[in-house]
Amino acid sequence: MKNFKNTLLVLFSFFAVSFANAQEKPKSPAETVTGKIKGATITINYGSPSVRGRKIWGELVPFDAVWRAGANEATTFETDKDLTIEGSKLPAGKYSFFIIPNEKESTIIFNKEAKQWGAYKYDEKKDQLRVKVKPKTGSSSVEKLVYTINSDDVVLSWDNWNVGFKVN
C-alpha cells in the first residue's frame, strides 16, 4: 500500500508541475495586428519576443542574415488588395515576411511561401518582392516587438529600432 501511495504522490506531483508549466505565458506570444491602408486590409501575424536585457540588433538578430521578423513561425503579411511597397507592386495575397537587418540599410522581403517555421527553409527563389529601407533609431526602447499599421506605412518597433516601409 505504501508503494501505491508513493506512486500516486509522484504522479500527482508530475501532473501538478506539468499543469503549472502549461499555464505560464509564452516568452514570445503570438500577436495579430490588422489595419487599412488605401482601402486594403492588411493583417500581420507574428511572434512577439521581448528584449529581456539582451542586445538585439547585430547580436540576437544578426546583421546581413535573413530574419523571420518575429519569433517562432515566420511572420505573415496578408493584403486583400494589390499594394505599392516603397514604389514596387505587391499583389494581393498572403506572404511570409522577412528582414535582412543592417545598420545602414535593411532589406524587407515578401516571400510567396506563407507557412514556414522561422527562416530555416527560406528560399530566395520564392520571393515576391524585396525592397530596401533605412532603419531608424527610436526615441525610446520598445520591450516587446510590435508592428504598427499607419495611414501610409507599416513599422516594426523593437528595442531601439524602427524598421518601416511606405505603402501606397
Side-chain angles (χ1 to χ4, degrees), residues 17-93:
V17 168
S18 296
F19 180 77
N21 288 340
Q23 300 307 308
E24 290 179 16
K25 291 183 179 178
K27 290 185 179 183
S28 301
E31 301 285 348
T32 299
V33 63
T34 300
K36 284 196 174 278
I37 299 179
K38 309 289 187 224
T41 300
I42 296 169
T43 302
I44 301 170
N45 290 293
Y46 62 101
S48 179
S50 296
V51 174
R52 295 193 315 270
R54 301 174 291 182
K55 179 160 174 31
I56 302 302
W57 303 105
E59 287 191 20
L60 181 67
V61 177
F63 289 138
D64 304 315
V66 174
W67 174 56
R68 60 185 146 195
N72 306 322
E73 290 188 36
T75 296
T76 60
F77 181 99
E78 187 170 6
T79 175
D80 64 349
K81 293 188 166 101
D82 294 354
L83 297 173
T84 302
I85 308 288
E86 292 289 326
S88 296
K89 185 177 179 177
L90 180 71

Side-chain angles (χ1 to χ4, degrees), residues 4 10 12 22 27 34 45 64 71 73 75 80 82-83 88 97 114 121 131 133-134 136 141 145 154 162:
F4 179 72
V10 168
F12 176 76
K27 290 185 179 183
T34 300
N45 290 293
D64 304 315
E73 290 188 36
T75 296
D80 64 349
D82 294 354
L83 297 173
S88 296
F97 180 78
K121 293 186 178 181
V131 296
V133 298
K134 293 187 185 311
K136 296 180 178 148
S141 184
L145 184 149
V154 173
N162 294 313

Side-chain angles (χ1 to χ4, degrees), residues 119-138:
Y120 303 107
K121 293 186 178 181
Y122 163 76
D123 182 355
E124 184 176 345
K125 293 179 205 139
K126 295 181 180 177
D127 288 352
Q128 177 68 45
L129 178 65
R130 281 179 166 230
V131 296
K132 302 273 188 180
V133 298
K134 293 187 185 311
K136 296 180 178 148
T137 303

